[in-house]
């Protein structure tokens, strides 16, 4: 999905309730998802930012200009799609924190959504980038829930990502090859193990 | 997903490039998806309307008001999610046309998206309501592509929906039980035939 303008990106940035979030992880994921689509590997998209429109004008019958609107809290995660028959769902966040990922970055309804996806046999995970060290981890939903269920912490230590997560290598294309990690974890989803639906 | 206001709905209505589209099919689907989530049957959501934001003001560091924005063309279909391990993806449209469904209602990139989902083994379909007769059909992606590949037509006749599609009965809850149709077609996805992912 295309991003409209730097302006919008800044607004999204401003919308987010914690500071210093760069857009580079999002840009890396957009490039990677575009690449996956190009080669037919997976069809995963970032959902549009939910916006509540309260005022629109119509210069012509075909033209609508929104004159007042507000950013809304997403109900689910930012990214979902299909990868070889599997439902994929994830949230991506950056943190400038050097030692841990503050859980305040993930809304409770997003955690609940990830639990629901797990309960349905979907593949869900977090992609978390520690921007200072430029380390990007994939943490499977199961490992996230394990942490949340076992520890009463306000943040996930970097050490937990290093122990239970998977470091995502940066490449040229795709920049963030997170499906390679999924393949490794699943022992080769790309070797025809996914089921297809026959109607 | 909640709908913000009647105002927004009207705007969305105005945004759509063909006339007389009621919101009732969308409302029926929202109620049905909310019901499916309530009972843990499926987690399927309508994607937010893509909006390009071009001007925002910040009355305070925490508050952002969009002062200029434009509706954008969706890249994909309106609805997707997970149902018992299966990736679900569909588009829903109403038509006031009595005898056929004009294909102008579906954008070429949406058709392409549905083909991509099919190629990945996902479950995709159209939900089309003929508002005059109040008939709501589910047409599987495979049947849609069959029509598009075999016939050079600008619209899909009602007769094709009656022959190749499935009529969706209206109920109290869920109002539009489209997953019942999917279960029938798939011979019981709800009997544990879907695969789950083990990490």
């Amino acid at each position: 999905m295309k991003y409209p303008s730097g302006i919008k990106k800044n607004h999204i940035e401003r919308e987010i309730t914690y500071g210093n979030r760069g857009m580079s992880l999002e840009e890396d994921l957009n490039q990677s998802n575009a690449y996956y689509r190009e080669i037919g590997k997976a069809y995963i998209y970032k959902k549009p930012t939910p916006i509540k429109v309260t005022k629109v004008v119509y210069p012509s019958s075909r033209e609508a200009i929104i004159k007042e609107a507000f950013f809304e809290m997403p109900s689910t995660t930012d990214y979902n799609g299909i990868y070889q028959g599997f439902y994929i769902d994830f949230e991506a966040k950056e943190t400038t924190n050097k030692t841990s990922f503050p859980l305040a970055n993930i809304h409770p309804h997003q955690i609940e959504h990830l639990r629901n996806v797990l309960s349905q046999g979907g593949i869900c995970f977090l992609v978390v980038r520690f921007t200072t060290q430029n380390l990007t981890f994939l943490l499977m939903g199961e490992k996230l829930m394990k942490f949340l269920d076992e520890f009463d912490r306000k943040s996930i230590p970097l050490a937990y990502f290093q122990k239970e997560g998977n470091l995502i290598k940066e490449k040229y294309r795709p920049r963030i090859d997170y499906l390679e990690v999924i393949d490794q974890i699943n022992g080769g989803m790309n070797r025809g193990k996914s089921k297809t639906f026959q109607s």
Side-chain angles (χ1 to χ4, degrees), chain A residues 19-34:
Chain A
N20 295 61
R21 182 176 187 275
M23 290 303 295
S24 62
L25 176 58
E26 183 169 322
E27 287 168 337
D28 287 352
L29 287 167
N30 291 335
Q31 181 258 29
S32 302
N33 288 335

Side-chain angles (χ1 to χ4, degrees), chain A residues 53 55-67:
Chain A
V53 176
K55 189 179 168 194
V56 178
V57 296
Y58 303 96
S60 78
S61 62
R62 286 289 172 137
E63 201 185 352
I65 304 175
I66 298 162
K67 283 298 184 185

